[in-house]
Amino acid sequence: MSRFIKTDGRHRTIEGWPLVFTVLTTLCILVGGTVQFLPLVLVESNIPTIETVTPYTPLEVEGRDIYIAQGCVSCHSQQIRPFRDEIERYGEYSKPGEAIYDRPFLWGSKRTGPDLARVGGKYPDLWHVRHMENPRSTTPNSLMPPYPWLQEKTVDFDDIPGKLSALKKLGTPYTDAEIDGAAQTARSQAEQIARNVAANGGPSGLEDKEITALVAYLQRLGTDLSKAGN
Ligand code: HEC
């Protein structure tokens, strides 16, 4: 080795003092880390905000928690990369400003199933109800597991205001009135979705079921960019 690496022996000497070497290495990593990290925290304009990106509705927050609890992120990413093949398949690539209310973020790293960043509006509500109950009923040979219990388990609407106020503490700009009325707001959005599903020939009585919250969340994904104003 010494034929290739010129060394005057100083490095070797420091390496021979494990404690000093550990301290020096830690210092180097800390300085390097801080230099990378500080601007991200201090400069607000690092996260370009998009005017039409708004916080999730109370029912969508509930649906997002179900998505997390069921581990959907282990098979589905939510980030479209700026490559032609991805844009043609999934739509406009994901922008950092679209994820500012995602706590925790659900970008994911595995695509056993397709990316879901822009799945909102791609299918009718009823399609999602049928697909979640039995993926092979809408998509022959699907590898996705069925989630039939989502049509049986009920949403605890009174839990939702607490979730919103936790998100508010982390920076999501919910007003106090929105938090106080969250259970009611969620109920009326759920009723609307349940009515739509029943009217199209799907099962009725889903207004307080977990599937309805999940559908609300899925139908929201990626739709902010196309709202009026952009
Ligand atoms: C074991 C991996 C796996 C898990 C876990 C999984 N999925 Fe899937 N998902 C797939 C596969 C594979 C497909 C493609 C075939 C199909 O449409 O069923 C898919 C398709 C989808 C689609 C249709 C996407 C499109 O653009 O056509 C949606 C929506 C979806 N999954 C939602 C979910 C949700 C919500 C969960 C959690 C409750 C979930 N998936 C859990 C594998 C998975």
Side-chain angles (χ1 to χ4, degrees):
M1 276 307 259
S2 52
R3 261 197 313 134
F4 303 108
I5 300 174
K6 258 181 143 180
T7 157
D8 60 3
R10 268 182 296 176
H11 190 268
R12 180 113 339 140
T13 313
I14 297 175
E15 255 185 1
W17 302 326
L19 196 64
V20 176
F21 190 66
T22 307
V23 170
L24 290 176
T25 318
T26 311
L27 265 178
C28 283
I29 294 171
L30 276 181
V31 171
T34 313
V35 166
Q36 282 193 322
F37 183 68
L38 269 187
L40 275 178
V41 178
L42 296 178
V43 186
E44 221 169 287
S45 61
N46 262 331
I47 307 146
T49 46
I50 303 166
E51 233 167 74
T52 51
V53 174
T54 49
Y56 291 106
T57 68
L59 190 65
E60 289 160 5
V61 167
E62 183 65 27
R64 193 170 187 276
D65 279 354
I66 296 167
Y67 185 96
I68 294 171
Q70 299 295 341
C72 314
V73 72
S74 61
C75 281
H76 289 285
S77 58
Q78 284 189 24
Q79 47 170 333
I80 304 165
R81 293 174 291 184
F83 305 139
R84 185 164 177 182
D85 56 330
E86 299 232 341
I87 294 168
E88 286 194 355
R89 177 165 181 192
Y90 299 122
E92 180 65 11
Y93 66 88
S94 299
K95 315 283 186 292
E98 288 183 273
I100 56 173
Y101 300 125
D102 276 348
R103 296 191 174 88
F105 65 81
L106 295 173
W107 297 323
S109 56
K110 194 159 179 288
R111 283 182 181 162
T112 304
D115 189 278
L116 297 180
R118 300 225 181 274
V119 83
K122 181 175 173 187
Y123 302 106
D125 294 348
L126 178 56
W127 186 93
H128 285 293
V129 171
R130 296 218 161 109
H131 180 247
M132 296 307 301
E133 184 184 15
N134 174 15
R136 293 188 182 189
S137 68
T138 54
T139 319
N141 300 327
S142 174
L143 299 177
M144 185 167 134
Y147 294 83
W149 56 86
L150 296 176
Q151 286 188 34
E152 284 149 32
K153 285 177 77 180
T154 50
V155 169
D156 193 344
F157 286 95
D158 296 328
D159 268 359
I160 301 180
K163 295 183 180 184
L164 262 65
S165 60
L167 287 169
K168 185 178 180 173
K169 285 202 185 86
L170 296 172
T172 309
Y174 290 117
T175 63
D176 289 341
E178 279 170 336
I179 293 174
D180 290 343
Q184 193 44 47
T185 317
R187 273 205 178 87
S188 37
Q189 191 182 356
E191 274 160 23
Q192 222 175 320
I193 295 171
R195 244 196 324 264
N196 178 15
V197 168
N200 284 292
S204 54
L206 295 184
E207 49 280 331
D208 60 346
K209 301 295 188 286
E210 289 193 348
I211 184 67
T212 308
L214 184 63
V215 169
Y217 171 65
L218 292 172
Q219 293 291 37
R220 167 72 187 270
L221 285 181
T223 57
D224 279 350
L225 272 194
S226 54
K227 280 190 212 154
N230 269 316

